[in-house]
Amino acid sequence: MTVRLLNSPFDPGAELSAFTASTKSAGAVVSFCGIVRGDGDMTAMEIEHYPAMTEKALAAHRSKALEIFDVSDALILHRFGRLQVGETIMMVATAAAHRRAAFDAADFLMDYLKSRAPFWKKEIGADGATWVAAKDDDEAALSRWQT
């Protein structure tokens, strides 16, 4: 299983190199990294989760991506705990014989992570902290997959 939940920073370049090296039959590797963006006065983000539930849910969605798309492997890394603006929060990578399958699988994984993955996010700024609510755009993006 290639799902890891991390409470410390990771090196996206090293992770991508290791993932690519392990995908001998792939003709395409696609990766995406999410960064904590500083909207307004936000200085940090707190991410909470229930470890066993989160890992199980992400692993199930990864398996679904492997079934639906013609990909040979998929990687999901996601941070939790306190993250500062500018830090890498997550990464997905997919490997396939052809680029379209790799792009679609990565997009599918990202849409799930943005809308349904069991993480709770709190934005922290000068005026205190607020929980991040689900966004209609993220739900709409997920609905296009009809799975």
Side-chain angles (χ1 to χ4, degrees):
M1 174 172 62
T2 315
V3 170
R4 293 196 334 258
L5 302 171
L6 309 162
N7 65 354
S8 59
F10 63 91
D11 179 345
E15 294 290 348
L16 183 58
S17 291
F19 180 77
T20 301
S22 73
T23 58
K24 303 296 182 203
S25 64
V29 170
V30 168
S31 68
F32 176 86
C33 290
I35 310 297
V36 178
R37 105 181 135 251
D39 290 339
D41 73 342
M42 189 175 104
T43 58
M45 177 177 281
E46 287 274 345
I47 300 174
E48 297 179 11
H49 73 110
Y50 296 111
M53 181 177 85
T54 305
E55 190 167 343
K56 184 177 179 181
L58 270 56
H61 204 70
R62 177 187 173 274
S63 292
K64 198 172 195 179
L66 293 175
E67 290 173 22
I68 295 170
F69 304 97
D70 190 15
V71 292
S72 57
D73 201 1
L75 169 71
I76 301 172
L77 304 177
H78 205 293
R79 298 269 312 274
F80 64 91
R82 188 179 185 98
L83 289 86
Q84 302 301 313
V85 168
E87 287 190 72
T88 303
I89 189 172
M90 56 72 56
M91 176 181 177
V92 299
T94 57
H98 303 284
R99 67 183 164 90
R100 179 53 40 216
F103 274 107
D104 287 346
D107 212 13
F108 174 78
L109 291 171
M110 282 306 309
D111 286 342
Y112 172 77
L113 289 170
K114 285 291 288 177
S115 61
R116 297 281 173 83
F119 292 103
W120 295 271
K121 299 174 183 175
K122 189 184 330 178
E123 293 179 348
I124 301 165
D127 295 331
T130 57
W131 290 102
V132 177
K135 295 180 179 151
D136 291 339
D137 289 349
D138 293 334
E139 283 296 319
L142 183 65
S143 70
R144 69 189 165 125
W145 298 108
Q146 304 301 318
T147 59

